[in-house]
Amino acid sequence: MDPASRISRGALNAIFTDPDNVATKFPVPILQCLQIKPLGGQPGSVDRYRIVLSDVNNYVQSMLATQVNHLVHDGQLVRNCIVRITNYQPNTVKGKNILIILGLEVISELGQPDKIGDPVAFEPSSESAPNTTTIGGQNFYGAKKEEKETKPRMSNIPSRPTTTGGGHGSNNIYPIEALSPYAHKWTIKARVTQKGDIRTWHKPSGEGKLFSVNLLDESGEIKATGFNEQCDQYYDMLQEGSVYYISSPCKVSIAKKQFSNLPNDYELVLERDTVIEKAEDQSSVPQVRFNFCTIQELQSVEKDATVDVVGVLKEVGEVSQITSKTTQRPYEKRELTIVDDTNFSVRVTIWGKSAQNFDARPESVIAFKGLRVSDFGGRSLSLLSSGTMTVDPDIADAHRLKGWYDSSGRNDSFATHSGMAPALGAATGRGNEDKFVVQVKDEQLGMNEGQDFFNLKATIVYIKPDTFAYPACRKEGCNKRVIDVGDGTWRCEKCDINHSQPTYRYIMSVNVCDHTSQLWLSCFDEVGRAIMGVSADELMELKESGDEAAKAAVFEQASCKKLFFRCSAKMDTFGETQRIRYQARSAAPLDYKTEGHKLVELIKQYTISS
């Protein structure tokens, strides 16, 4: 079928000029995506995308809601593809017509035709509309020059009923995703998903109090804070789990990311005249919204970023207590270990009452919202005070993980991020770039002071089978080599302890290659487990029992694996000679989906450059 015949010609004009009848004329508009561009945002914020949509007659700038981001990440939403708009929000912001896309489907059978027709920009109705505005991100259309009134319009979301409760500005519902400091006279309809306690502060300059709530609608989330008088005014009114209409005046400011776990560049500050009413319809707003990051992807997430993670509970630690160095106050904590189907595990620390009251059983699926990423011990996670965790949630990701774990994951081995150095390569200026082996050698990585870090996709060719492990101290936190005393015990000089037996840890030399060359990598215990699939204790037991066939089978199974390695290169001295030592910091199976996306981007860059 000709793609041009499927386009809903005139749909954009109807959406913005005839909102009452657009649903009859164009119940599900079909448009062409002419352009996709990422929006700039604060470090650690969720990706935001601007797209340009055409109905052949006109084109309009559009903003993609974050819940549709997966279509970009999966390589489905691409330039010139044909899309079906299932849920949208038209707005006129400072004279610019903007379409906010809340739901979208790519019509893959129509492919990616060339640009259809010669559409022109849909002109705003205002005669004096400025050419620039900012919405939902930085530099959406340019720098701010002057402020004008925002006049939002609605589609596919019911308008707020007229009330007699005083001046509420516009009766149109404004999506949270579109809020910015340049939006005025708006009303949002949102659910309070989290409500914090009232906190006080005392400083030489004065004292005060505040509380915060997290607000959610189907387009996004935002934090709202009330200070001092607004604590008394709104704290009892806003109840967790309920849906409210919230109308300006209400200040929209840049989000303080150190105090928020939400993927929004902005936050709200409640004012004296902010109007808040409980909605009669409590069911039309979603209960919770996650932006999950897989455990494997944590290795590329910046320190102190906030993420949502879902995983299967593997281990539950006991409650312990630490004392804060700054406040000298004691805090209870509990450490959990979760795994997912990327075959990675990570440690999650929960605090206070959450730690004390935790009663989930191992093998439960837990969804965490609001985890702070730490580089302590490689990569670990800590639940923020504003974060939440839900055991066995009724969501698709949880059901998928439960099915995977029950079918195969229970017996899998899991890699960790504990071998990663903090902010790999950040100190040297050489980041985690993907390299071929020949590039590593030609660029002389490791010849500089300090270490250079790189990523390598390579196949294991050979593993030295003789010296693959060493006897280590069994005391937690001490991995020093122990000495066989000869009386049946093993002595750790560092801990001044004799053990009845050691715990064996991997210290392996592995030869890997890609299509360009080969390289020897040093691998320690965590990486060795990821490669071999069994612990060093298990492999040493096979060796000492004389079962050479079983031992050889383990080595054979590990050979010829193609893995994703995070590596470091550093100059070391061996005897009187210096040479570069290459160390594998982590190893994991290739994520072919991610690698496919990388290849697509390379092809696009080549196409553009040629």
Side-chain angles (χ1 to χ4, degrees), residues 75-369:
Q76 298 182 53
L77 183 59
V78 295
R79 188 173 182 178
N80 289 341
C81 71
I82 309 301
V83 298
R84 183 182 292 111
I85 310 301
T86 59
N87 198 355
Y88 59 89
Q89 170 91 39
N91 283 280
T92 303
V93 180
K94 293 179 60 183
K96 278 284 185 182
N97 290 304
I98 298 169
L99 197 61
I100 299 168
I101 305 301
L102 302 171
L104 178 148
E105 297 173 357
V106 177
I107 307 178
S108 56
E109 61 267 22
L110 296 181
Q112 299 167 236
D114 293 333
K115 180 181 176 182
I116 300 174
D118 191 18
V120 297
F122 183 77
E123 295 297 333
S125 56
S126 172
E127 297 179 358
S128 59
N131 293 324
T132 59
T133 186
T134 301
I135 179 169
Q138 299 175 2
N139 302 321
F140 191 74
Y141 294 109
K144 173 179 178 287
K145 292 184 178 179
E146 59 178 311
E147 293 188 6
K148 290 198 175 183
E149 182 176 283
T150 301
K151 299 178 181 179
R153 294 193 183 98
M154 273 303 304
S155 178
N156 288 12
I157 300 177
S159 296
R160 174 184 174 181
T162 303
T163 67
T164 58
H168 300 92
S170 171
N171 284 330
N172 294 319
I173 307 304
Y174 209 88
I176 286 176
E177 189 91 2
L179 289 176
S180 79
Y182 314 110
H184 306 280
K185 293 187 178 180
W186 48 261
T187 296
I188 62 173
K189 183 180 181 182
R191 186 182 302 277
V192 177
T193 58
Q194 195 271 340
K195 175 182 174 182
D197 297 330
I198 293 178
R199 292 177 290 158
T200 60
W201 76 85
H202 303 275
K203 298 180 179 179
S205 57
E207 59 184 32
K209 57 185 178 180
L210 64 88
F211 83 101
S212 297
V213 293
N214 291 345
L215 302 173
L216 167 74
D217 70 7
E218 63 179 19
S219 76
E221 297 174 273
I222 196 166
K223 176 184 176 182
T225 303
F227 293 90
N228 299 323
E229 290 83 2
Q230 278 62 62
C231 282
D232 302 327
Q233 188 176 359
Y234 299 119
Y235 185 80
D236 292 334
M237 179 186 300
L238 292 170
Q239 295 298 315
E240 194 168 299
S242 296
V243 178
Y244 299 88
Y245 293 110
I246 301 176
S247 303
S248 58
C250 184
K251 183 179 179 182
V252 184
S253 59
I254 299 295
K256 299 178 180 64
K257 289 295 185 180
Q258 66 271 34
F259 303 122
S260 175
N261 66 323
L262 300 183
N264 200 319
D265 291 338
Y266 304 107
E267 61 186 29
L268 302 178
V269 178
L270 303 176
E271 299 181 353
R272 182 182 61 185
D273 296 326
T274 301
V275 177
I276 301 177
E277 289 184 23
K278 191 170 184 178
E280 293 183 8
D281 177 11
Q282 293 283 308
S283 61
S284 61
V285 177
Q287 296 285 341
V288 67
R289 185 164 179 256
F290 293 101
N291 293 287
F292 287 127
C293 167
T294 68
I295 298 177
Q296 182 183 24
E297 290 170 343
L298 292 174
Q299 56 196 1
S300 58
V301 175
E302 293 182 2
K303 177 181 179 294
D304 294 330
T306 303
V307 296
D308 301 342
V309 172
V310 60
V312 178
L313 183 63
K314 192 74 171 176
E315 297 176 6
V316 181
E318 297 295 329
V319 175
S320 59
Q321 191 176 84
I322 64 170
T323 301
S324 169
K325 294 181 179 178
T326 54
T327 64
Q328 299 302 310
R329 291 174 56 189
Y331 292 93
E332 285 74 30
K333 71 169 188 173
R334 187 193 295 265
E335 292 188 348
L336 314 174
T337 300
I338 61 172
V339 299
D340 69 7
D341 52 1
T342 63
N343 287 100
F344 266 78
S345 69
V346 70
R347 185 178 72 254
V348 180
T349 303
I350 58 177
W351 304 87
K353 292 180 180 178
S354 296
Q356 295 172 0
N357 300 331
F358 185 82
D359 60 355
R361 296 181 178 180
E363 302 191 0
S364 301
V365 177
I366 305 183
F368 294 91
K369 185 173 184 61

Side-chain angles (χ1 to χ4, degrees), residues 3-14:
S5 66
R6 297 289 302 276
I7 302 294
S8 304
R9 292 176 182 252
L12 293 177
N13 182 70

Side-chain angles (χ1 to χ4, degrees), residues 303 333 335 346-347 349 373-381 417-418 420-423:
K303 177 181 179 294
K333 71 169 188 173
E335 292 188 348
V346 70
R347 185 178 72 254
T349 303
V373 179
S374 168
D375 62 3
F376 179 74
R379 278 293 183 271
S380 58
L381 302 171
H417 301 293
S418 61
M420 293 175 59

